[in-house]
Amino acid sequence: MPPKSSSGRKYSKKSGQKVKRAVHEMKSGKLKSGRSGKKVKSRKQAIAIGLSEARRSGAKVPKKKKSR
């Protein structure tokens, strides 16, 4: 018998919309990073910004992984 996977979504629709908006802004050159205010050029960074905005707004997003 295969292992039971958790049912339901890991990420909510709202979080997907936030990420989509952030990536779109990055592509058009309007997305800026929080502290330094520099333009974001990396796709990974744009996704991270979208997810952190989603977390702040209360959307369903898994917790950040701790870096060691």
Side-chain angles (χ1 to χ4, degrees), residues 15-67:
S15 64
Q17 290 167 352
K18 294 269 186 189
V19 170
K20 185 178 177 181
R21 184 203 54 77
V23 172
H24 182 75
E25 278 187 20
M26 183 263 300
K27 283 185 176 179
S28 62
K30 294 178 184 173
L31 187 64
K32 301 219 159 75
S33 78
R35 281 195 180 185
S36 62
K38 290 181 181 177
K39 266 189 208 171
V40 172
K41 294 175 185 169
S42 154
R43 195 178 109 252
K44 277 187 176 180
Q45 198 175 2
I47 291 168
I49 290 169
L51 287 176
S52 74
E53 285 177 7
R55 270 189 200 97
R56 271 188 262 137
S57 69
K60 184 180 174 188
V61 183
K63 288 178 181 165
K64 281 187 192 179
K65 288 185 179 177
K66 298 277 183 177
S67 61

